[in-house]
């Protein structure tokens, strides 16, 4: 695996221009934090993006939580991503049949393809869902070519998750067949095994995002399970996703800086510098 290489050296050889950009952002801003901004209205969402923007690489949304979502949301987010140099990840977790997810991704009420650099999908329904999204992203009416990417949900952080073992291995196999638009995984517990399944060849360098990251809690009352930024990075994660640990803390800016520092130090240790 390439987890002992720096973001900068991976950026040099990576085939995806979006991943190059992601790694460049990580290097320039010295951060591997993806904040999970699970807020309920445009004002709060934009305020958080502006406040913590300097310390993050990725701003992850659940845009269907935003009760007043509209043009102002999209325009505001887009301008903040330019101002602070971060990418958007819409955590839509596409899961349906190919024909449905194509329409959920491109167009529709939330216009996800128009603003979200990264989206994710579950492979519960099989490889067809990934083929459908790849087809849309390669379509002649798709104007964001090379600026959009997909992560496959290989595991989940919740207690009793069924996305384990053979399911996770199949997710890795499917990803290998769709490199390009598919850039990696959302994966958590068995990062080592996901990494082991991925040969370190020149053209296979998957990016691993890890959710369930929190510095001060072990979980919530609904089955969420946490690990620390350090633990996630040590186990091979490339970008740590933290939600409530940052946005629900008393001082989100102070908090995001702590996640940034811990995540970056663990990364430096991992690459041996
Ligand atoms: O840090 P939290 O617990 O406040 O938020 C975690 C965020 C939420 C989840 O929808 C998401 O990460 N998530 C995911 C993702 C990113 O796909 C996968 C998973 O297995 N667990 C998880 O919590 O927005």
């Amino acid at each position: 695996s390439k987890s002992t290489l720096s973001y900068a050296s991976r950026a040099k050889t990576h085939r995806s221009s979006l991943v190059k950009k992601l790694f460049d952002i990580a290097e320039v801003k010295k951060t591997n934090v993806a904040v999970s901004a699970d807020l309920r209205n445009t004002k709060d969402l934009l305020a958080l993006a502006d406040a913590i923007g300097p310390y993050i690489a990725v701003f992850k949304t659940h845009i269907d939580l935003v009760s007043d979502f509209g043009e102002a949301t999209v325009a505001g987010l887009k301008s903040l991503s330019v101002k602070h140099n971060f990418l958007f990840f819409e955590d839509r977790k596409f899961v349906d049949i190919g024909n449905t997810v194509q329409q959920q991704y491109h167009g529709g009420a939330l216009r996800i393809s128009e603003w979200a650099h990264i989206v994710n999908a579950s492979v519960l329904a099989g490889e067809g869902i990934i083929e459908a999204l790849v087809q849309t992203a390669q379509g002649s009416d798709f104007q964001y070519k090379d600026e959009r990417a997909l992560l496959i949900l290989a595991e989940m952080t919740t207690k009793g998750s069924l996305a384990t073992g053979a399911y996770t291995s199949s997710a890795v196999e499917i990803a290998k067949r769709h490199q390009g638009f598919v850039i990696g995984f959302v994966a958590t517990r068995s990062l080592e095994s996901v990494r082991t399944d991925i040969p370190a060849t020149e053209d296979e360098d998957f990016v691993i995002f890890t959710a369930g990251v929190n510095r001060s809690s072990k979980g919530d009352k609904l089955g969420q399970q946490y690990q620390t930024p350090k633990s996630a990075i040590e186990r091979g994660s490339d970008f740590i996703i933290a939600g409530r640990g940052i946005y629900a803390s008393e001082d989100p800016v102070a908090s995001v800086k702590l996640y940034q520092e811990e995540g970056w130090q663990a990364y430096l240790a991992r690459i041996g510098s």
Side-chain angles (χ1 to χ4, degrees):
S1 104
K2 305 217 171 178
S3 65
T4 56
L5 299 180
S6 69
Y7 297 122
S9 66
R10 291 167 71 186
K12 275 194 205 113
T13 55
H14 212 284
R15 62 157 79 182
S16 156
S17 49
L18 189 86
V19 173
K20 280 183 198 291
K21 187 165 180 191
L22 178 61
F23 286 153
D24 283 346
I25 291 173
E27 287 285 357
V28 168
K29 295 170 75 176
K30 300 205 182 317
T31 181
N32 45 34
V33 174
V35 74
S36 182
D38 302 335
L39 302 177
R40 314 273 185 78
N41 64 68
T42 299
K43 185 168 156 280
D44 290 351
L45 194 67
L46 297 183
L48 181 74
D50 202 17
I52 66 171
Y55 315 103
I56 62 169
V58 173
F59 192 77
K60 187 179 81 62
T61 51
H62 278 299
I63 211 67
D64 56 354
L65 302 185
V66 180
S67 54
D68 59 348
F69 173 82
E71 187 51 44
T73 323
V74 174
L77 287 174
K78 278 185 179 170
S79 77
L80 289 168
S81 115
V82 174
K83 177 177 175 191
H84 296 301
N85 193 25
F86 59 70
L87 299 182
F88 289 117
F89 171 5
E90 164 54 25
D91 189 3
R92 178 61 181 74
K93 296 186 180 69
F94 296 110
V95 70
D96 217 310
I97 64 167
N99 183 61
T100 300
V101 296
Q102 285 185 334
Q103 298 171 74
Q104 289 171 325
Y105 176 49
H106 191 47
L110 302 174
R111 297 147 48 188
I112 293 172
S113 64
E114 186 185 321
W115 55 271
H117 302 98
I118 300 169
V119 293
N120 53 355
S122 142
V123 288
L124 182 68
E127 189 161 358
I129 185 175
I130 305 302
E131 286 164 357
L133 292 168
V134 168
Q135 190 186 82
T136 294
Q138 290 173 349
S140 53
D141 74 325
F142 194 79
Q143 55 275 63
Y144 317 106
K145 274 202 191 75
D146 304 325
E147 297 162 41
R148 298 291 179 264
L150 176 66
L151 297 169
I152 293 183
L153 199 57
E155 295 179 299
M156 289 206 69
T157 54
T158 33
K159 253 179 221 135
S161 164
L162 306 177
T164 60
Y167 182 93
T168 302
S169 307
S170 301
V172 174
E173 288 308 312
I174 291 170
K176 284 180 187 172
R177 290 194 284 272
H178 298 283
Q179 288 180 69
F181 189 50
V182 175
I183 57 165
F185 307 96
V186 177
T188 306
R189 297 269 145 197
S190 57
L191 283 171
E192 296 95 338
S193 71
V194 171
R195 285 271 184 215
T196 313
D197 281 351
I198 303 167
T201 60
E202 270 308 300
D203 59 340
E204 282 187 0
D205 180 11
F206 289 116
V207 184
I208 297 184
F209 280 71
T210 300
V213 171
N214 194 303
R215 295 181 70 251
S216 55
S217 167
K218 291 263 174 272
D220 69 13
K221 291 184 180 136
L222 299 172
Q224 174 69 302
Q225 304 175 111
Y226 290 125
Q227 60 183 321
T228 62
K230 183 166 182 275
S231 143
I233 297 289
E234 277 174 0
R235 298 166 79 189
S237 175
D238 297 311
F239 291 92
I240 48 173
I241 298 172
R244 284 164 286 181
I246 294 174
Y247 72 77
S249 79
E250 252 169 59
D251 184 345
V253 173
S255 176
V256 73
K257 288 181 184 173
L258 296 175
Y259 282 76
Q260 177 191 14
E261 179 66 14
E262 185 176 330
W264 196 256
Q265 289 308 325
Y267 156 75
L268 291 179
R270 189 176 85 191
I271 64 167
S273 82

